[in-house]
Amino acid sequence: MKKTILLIHTGGTISMHVNEESGAVVPKETNPLIVESKKLRQYADIVELDAFNLPSPHMTPIEMLKLKNLILEAISKQKIDGIVITHGTDTLEETAYFLDLTTNLEIPIVLTGAMRSSNELGADGVYNLVEAMRVAVSEDAKNKGVLVVMNDEIHAAANVTKTSTSNVGTFQSPQYGPLGLITKTMIHFHHAPLQKQYVEVSTIEKKVALFKVYAGMEADLLLSAIDSGYHGVVLEGLGQGNVPPAVVTGIQALLDHQIPVVLVSRCFNGIAQGVYGYEGGGKMLEDMGVIYAPGISGQKARLKLLIGLNQVHSPIEVAHFF
Ligand code: ASP
């Protein structure tokens, strides 16, 4: 029996075209993907929803929350066997991770996008969409958390990141690799995520800032987070998880204001941990109460802390949560 897939559009290059006069890539009034439904119906019956038509830099956690609610509402009304979401690639990994943490479904949720708009030479949108559809109907894709499908690969939401500004093979999972490959005839999974965390959220009210640490950084930016009313701060630290000495006073001030500080590394391989005991070293930061977020990038640690601080059953124990 044919499966039923919920296909949700949110915008992005996959729904855009090149304006021939200006040469700019812009959104279209009618989503060019809607006309592709016929190609997709050979794989499944489709329930199609136009949630937003946004370039993905316009996505915020509020839209991500709406998307989560839309999914839960749709599956409560009818039998859905899988979900495919089209999305701009710039923040696709963030929406994927948000949904990964805030949904707990057996059915596959697959995000896809395109690096080339619908009327560009070598446009990859329809190709990626068909592949996402094939993954969404695959029995093997169940219970694997939220997936990202692009360029013949299947990635886990927690690990995937956009690595190239323009290359169609932009989505990669540094350190971990993809979960599977897609060929003409097969959906071939070779890994499965070991852990699945689920957090119930119904509102996003608290704010979390993300700062990249750099040589010569001072405490002023961290202090401004206190004045601007942030409830949490994530730092992309140096190497194994260190910061310049001047940053330490900023961290201490945040902690004194009960603002949790979460640390990841700005290196995209390896994990941050408390190793060095010098001023600003990771061991010193850990002893101060800084929390490490192993295995995720700065932007994902920021979303995780945001979700944790906004969860229905708060307050959370941040160290335990990470
Ligand atoms: N800037 C675009 C967006 O994220 C890029 C894309 O969709 O690939 O909306």
Side-chain angles (χ1 to χ4, degrees):
M1 212 179 69
K2 243 190 188 178
K3 292 191 172 183
T4 302
I5 296 296
L6 173 64
L7 173 58
I8 308 177
H9 300 292
T10 69
T13 298
I14 192 164
S15 303
M16 296 186 195
H17 74 306
V18 178
N19 178 307
E20 273 159 23
E21 273 163 39
S22 68
V25 177
V26 286
K28 251 189 144 175
E29 262 163 48
T30 5
N31 188 333
L33 294 175
I34 304 250
V35 296
E36 303 294 345
S37 303
K38 243 201 218 151
K39 278 195 195 100
L40 304 176
R41 284 183 207 282
Q42 58 178 300
Y43 300 102
D45 290 326
I46 294 168
V47 178
E48 203 157 0
L49 270 179
D50 254 322
F52 321 111
N53 193 6
L54 294 176
S56 77
H58 296 200
M59 287 291 285
T60 74
I62 300 296
E63 279 78 33
M64 296 175 194
L65 184 69
K66 281 187 191 155
L67 204 50
K68 188 257 312 180
N69 291 337
L70 215 115
I71 290 171
L72 297 187
E73 196 193 317
I75 62 169
S76 72
K77 286 192 185 145
Q78 69 184 106
K79 190 178 172 303
I80 299 286
D81 302 297
I83 298 164
V84 173
I85 301 171
T86 62
H87 198 289
T89 58
D90 290 354
T91 63
L92 187 149
E93 66 196 82
E94 286 171 72
T95 298
Y97 190 57
F98 184 100
L99 295 175
D100 194 50
L101 282 178
T102 59
T103 60
N104 203 11
L105 305 175
E106 185 198 31
I107 60 170
I109 301 180
V110 183
L111 278 86
T112 192
M115 295 303 287
R116 298 180 186 139
S117 65
S118 58
N119 58 343
E120 271 179 276
L121 199 60
D124 52 337
V126 177
Y127 183 85
N128 286 334
L129 181 54
V130 167
E131 295 211 323
M133 195 62 88
R134 288 176 58 207
V135 172
V137 296
S138 157
E139 283 297 304
D140 293 343
K142 284 182 170 175
N143 282 319
K144 295 222 167 37
V146 172
L147 303 171
V148 172
V149 165
M150 293 271 294
N151 200 40
D152 293 338
E153 289 182 350
I154 310 164
H155 293 265
N159 301 332
V160 73
T161 193
K162 184 173 181 176
T163 61
S164 162
T165 54
S166 55
N167 192 305
V168 290
T170 185
F171 281 98
Q172 291 177 23
S173 298
Q175 186 78 57
Y176 303 99
L179 298 182
L181 304 174
I182 305 163
T183 68
K184 272 199 182 349
T185 57
M186 282 174 74
I187 305 298
H188 175 69
F189 279 94
H190 47 74
H191 285 109
L194 285 178
Q195 295 156 343
K196 165 82 183 118
Q197 220 169 348
Y198 167 63
V199 189
E200 202 182 333
V201 277
S202 57
T203 53
I204 299 285
E205 279 154 8
K206 305 243 168 87
K207 301 198 297 177
V208 175
L210 167 64
F211 295 108
K212 191 173 200 125
V213 176
Y214 48 87
M217 189 177 185
E218 311 247 354
D220 52 352
L221 288 174
L222 270 57
L223 298 176
S224 74
I226 302 173
D227 299 336
S228 308
Y230 280 85
H231 303 92
V233 167
V234 174
L235 297 177
E236 263 185 35
L238 308 170
Q240 298 217 40
N242 312 307
V243 301
V247 174
V248 175
T249 49
I251 293 177
Q252 191 58 61
L254 289 164
L255 296 173
D256 290 345
H257 283 80
Q258 317 300 326
I259 298 171
V261 179
V262 170
L263 191 67
V264 297
S265 175
R266 70 178 199 182
C267 302
F268 59 84
N269 282 318
I271 55 174
Q273 53 195 337
V275 173
Y276 290 97
Y278 54 74
E279 180 77 5
K283 180 76 179 75
M284 177 193 174
L285 303 179
E286 189 172 54
D287 293 343
M288 284 167 67
V290 170
I291 293 149
Y292 285 99
I296 48 177
S297 62
Q299 57 271 32
K300 296 210 182 134
R302 182 211 161 242
L303 268 181
K304 184 167 176 175
L305 183 57
L306 184 77
I307 288 166
L309 294 175
N310 282 285
Q311 76 168 320
V312 172
H313 308 290
S314 57
I316 51 155
E317 215 276 282
V318 180
H320 177 71
F321 182 62
F322 275 89

